[in-house]
Amino acid sequence: MTYCVGLKLDRGIVMAADTRTNAGLDNVATFKKLHVWEKRGDRVICMMAAGNLAVTQSVVSLLSERLKSEDPGRPTLHTVDTMFQAARLVGSAVRDVRAIDGEALAANSESFSVTFLLGGQIKGEAPRLFQIYSAGNFIEASADTPFLQIGEHKYGKPILDRVTQADMRLGQAAKLVLLSFNSTLRSNLSVGMPIDMLLYNTDSFSAHRQTRIREDDPYFADLSHMWSEKLRDAVAEIPDFEI
Amino acid sequence: MTYCVGLKLDRGIVMAADTRTNAGLDNVATFKKLHVWEKRGDRVICMMAAGNLAVTQSVVSLLSERLKSEDPGRPTLHTVDTMFQAARLVGSAVRDVRAIDGEALAANSESFSVTFLLGGQIKGEAPRLFQIYSAGNFIEASADTPFLQIGEHKYGKPILDRVTQADMRLGQAAKLVLLSFNSTLRSNLSVGMPIDMLLYNTDSFSAHRQTRIREDDPYFADLSHMWSEKLRDAVAEIPDFEI
């Protein structure tokens, strides 16, 4: 499984993805699921993937190869004018991969199940965040729902539901995302460190605030420890239930 | 959907179930999913159900009807000697219902998917807690895993994972269970109030500590409010993340 979260905030976008892939419990590996296409000064596009790894990697490869296409009639992630158009490119790449591999996967009873989060900003519009489905269709995050999750999303949702606010600073939002990961990692084996993260500041058109948080990261270790303590304290401070 | 939790602690057992059933979002109803068989001074057996309501109700009805059976060769929940035997009775009732309804359900492409939590104590042994599957087989909670959940279990699992301890008082455990419900209710529409709860004290052989917690319950309202505040405070007290 996988866990990825994207937040669209007033000050920018936070994208985070774990790196565990597993084809059964005895076949666990680390793969990057967060991909960034940057044209500094003009656009930053970040995509995170959940689902069949062969399919998601093909989609990423198709999108990257097409950047080099010389056909001016064929839009690419480097040339589209809006994030909506970028989401359509991703959707169409998903459909292309299905056209190539779908039948063989079906014949093998394997699922063509993928989901993507696509966030970023293209000069001329505000940052936007999309979730793209296996069918190539998609939804967009709005002010009402500033975060989207894919993969193993349930364990880490309650804390996001409670605390996320569109006017958070990115560093605050990143902390919240890491708390959401912390709960997920604790309760589900199929999600694993390290965590890749991008903090994108509105109108920066630069993807330089990217990092990989490893198991031994001192901030993450402190956060996990403090969070456990504070949760236990919070529970203890609430009066016990009596019938 | 449904959410039920059972905890097996040193001092007894806590069982809690929501009451929402839905066949689609526009067909929501309230049904009791927590059932208690009590023979005061001798045994308390509590069962909670998730899954196809027609099936789970049939299982409960079969078990209850069989209590009146005059056949001394046929064990019932009132006569079995151990909770293990009680779990086998439930499993065999599940198989009986499948024999009656399974084919028709399959013909209608409906799922025969049910899960039960069965907790309680029969004189002569310590309290025990079981989870029974659609196939009628089951597992038992041990000291390593003092809680079992069925239904929509993911949202409410992180807090149980972190705080549950076998030596908790029942009132503490009940509070923890309600916090787990609180997170689930917030993040998932298919789980709904009221919550039915049984606190069973080891060796009491009495099910008198039972209650239904309604939406307007002042304790639950306070708990929800305090918990939200404390979580937000806890998040705020952790330093923000910086790249």
Side-chain angles (χ1 to χ4, degrees):
Chain A
M1 215 43 194
T2 288
Y3 180 43
C4 305
V5 197
L7 279 95
K8 195 194 68 149
L9 306 165
D10 299 345
R11 303 179 198 210
I13 279 188
V14 176
M15 307 280 276
D18 85 314
T19 50
R20 179 160 295 175
T21 66
N22 62 310
L25 278 175
D26 57 351
N27 189 358
V28 171
T30 302
F31 278 92
K32 196 167 169 69
K33 302 173 196 168
L34 182 149
H35 307 273
V36 177
W37 292 273
E38 178 189 28
K39 224 170 108 186
R40 203 164 277 207
D42 180 67
R43 68 189 59 204
V44 168
I45 298 176
C46 174
M47 188 163 92
M48 304 187 294
N52 186 318
L53 184 67
V55 175
T56 61
Q57 287 193 336
S58 295
V59 170
V60 172
S61 295
L62 268 188
L63 290 166
S64 291
E65 279 191 1
R66 284 173 183 172
L67 292 180
K68 293 162 207 148
S69 151
E70 298 295 322
D71 177 357
R74 170 160 230 169
T76 73
L77 289 180
H78 276 179
T79 62
V80 286
D81 289 330
T82 63
M83 284 297 296
F84 174 78
Q85 294 296 336
R88 288 195 55 182
L89 278 192
V90 176
S92 117
V94 175
R95 287 169 191 165
D96 291 345
V97 174
R98 190 192 286 269
I100 302 163
D101 294 334
E103 206 177 317
L105 283 171
N108 212 15
S109 301
E110 282 181 55
S111 124
F112 185 92
S113 163
V114 289
T115 341
F116 296 93
L117 292 182
L118 184 81
Q121 187 180 18
I122 294 174
K123 212 158 195 169
E125 59 172 18
R128 295 168 79 175
L129 175 65
F130 294 87
Q131 176 168 344
I132 298 146
Y133 300 103
S134 300
N137 58 336
F138 50 82
I139 58 166
E140 182 173 3
S142 67
D144 293 327
T145 308
F147 67 88
L148 294 174
Q149 305 167 286
I150 56 176
E152 194 56 84
H153 65 282
K154 293 185 179 182
Y155 303 105
K157 186 166 186 281
I159 185 70
L160 294 173
D161 274 336
R162 277 179 213 270
V163 186
T164 312
Q165 282 179 322
D167 61 355
M168 291 177 121
R169 280 175 293 110
L170 296 194
Q172 258 183 306
K175 168 178 71 177
L176 190 58
V177 162
L178 291 178
L179 289 172
S180 174
F181 267 93
N182 185 253
S183 296
T184 310
L185 291 163
R186 242 190 111 94
S187 293
N188 189 293
L189 272 185
S190 74
V191 176
M193 305 279 283
I195 299 164
D196 289 322
M197 191 183 267
L198 167 72
L199 305 194
Y200 173 76
N201 293 82
T202 301
D203 295 339
S204 70
F205 301 106
S206 157
H208 70 282
R209 297 181 76 196
Q210 258 185 84
T211 190
R212 169 163 284 195
I213 296 155
R214 294 193 167 73
E215 208 117 19
D216 57 358
D217 181 271
Y219 176 83
F220 192 76
D222 280 356
L223 171 132
S224 304
H225 180 72
M226 287 176 76
W227 185 237
S228 279
E229 291 236 311
K230 284 180 190 301
L231 280 184
R232 269 194 290 266
D233 290 351
V235 172
E237 284 162 24
I238 295 175
D240 291 350
F241 180 73
E242 289 306 329
I243 292 189
Chain B
M1 216 43 194
T2 288
Y3 180 42
C4 305
V5 197
L7 281 95
K8 194 194 70 147
L9 306 165
D10 300 344
R11 301 178 199 210
I13 280 187
V14 176
M15 306 280 277
D18 85 316
T19 49
R20 180 160 295 175
T21 67
N22 62 310
L25 279 174
D26 57 351
N27 189 357
V28 171
T30 301
F31 278 92
K32 196 166 171 66
K33 302 174 197 168
L34 182 149
H35 308 272
V36 177
W37 292 273
E38 179 191 28
K39 222 168 109 186
R40 202 164 280 206
D42 179 66
R43 68 189 60 204
V44 168
I45 298 175
C46 173
M47 187 164 93
M48 306 189 294
N52 186 318
L53 185 66
V55 175
T56 61
Q57 287 193 338
S58 294
V59 170
V60 172
S61 294
L62 268 188
L63 291 166
S64 291
E65 277 191 3
R66 286 174 182 172
L67 292 182
K68 292 161 206 148
S69 152
E70 299 293 324
D71 178 359
R74 171 161 229 170
T76 72
L77 290 180
H78 276 179
T79 62
V80 288
D81 288 330
T82 62
M83 283 299 294
F84 175 78
Q85 295 296 336
R88 289 195 56 181
L89 278 192
V90 175
S92 116
V94 174
R95 288 169 189 165
D96 292 345
V97 174
R98 190 191 284 270
I100 302 164
D101 293 335
E103 204 177 319
L105 283 171
N108 212 16
S109 302
E110 283 181 54
S111 122
F112 185 92
S113 163
V114 289
T115 341
F116 297 92
L117 292 181
L118 183 80
Q121 186 180 18
I122 293 175
K123 210 157 195 170
E125 59 172 17
R128 296 169 78 174
L129 175 66
F130 295 87
Q131 176 168 346
I132 298 146
Y133 300 102
S134 300
N137 57 337
F138 49 83
I139 57 167
E140 181 172 4
S142 66
D144 293 326
T145 308
F147 67 88
L148 295 173
Q149 305 168 286
I150 56 176
E152 194 58 85
H153 64 281
K154 294 186 178 180
Y155 303 104
K157 187 165 185 283
I159 185 70
L160 293 174
D161 275 336
R162 276 180 214 272
V163 186
T164 311
Q165 282 179 323
D167 62 355
M168 294 179 119
R169 280 175 292 111
L170 296 193
Q172 258 182 308
K175 168 178 73 177
L176 189 58
V177 161
L178 292 177
L179 289 172
S180 174
F181 267 92
N182 185 252
S183 296
T184 309
L185 291 162
R186 245 189 110 94
S187 293
N188 189 293
L189 272 184
S190 75
V191 176
M193 306 274 288
I195 298 164
D196 289 322
M197 190 183 268
L198 167 72
L199 305 194
Y200 173 75
N201 294 81
T202 300
D203 295 339
S204 70
F205 302 106
S206 156
H208 71 282
R209 297 181 77 196
Q210 258 186 87
T211 189
R212 169 162 283 194
I213 297 155
R214 296 194 166 71
E215 208 117 18
D216 57 358
D217 181 272
Y219 176 83
F220 193 75
D222 280 356
L223 171 132
S224 305
H225 180 73
M226 287 176 76
W227 185 237
S228 280
E229 292 235 310
K230 284 181 190 300
L231 280 185
R232 268 193 293 264
D233 291 351
V235 173
E237 284 162 25
I238 295 176
D240 291 351
F241 179 72
E242 288 308 329
I243 292 187

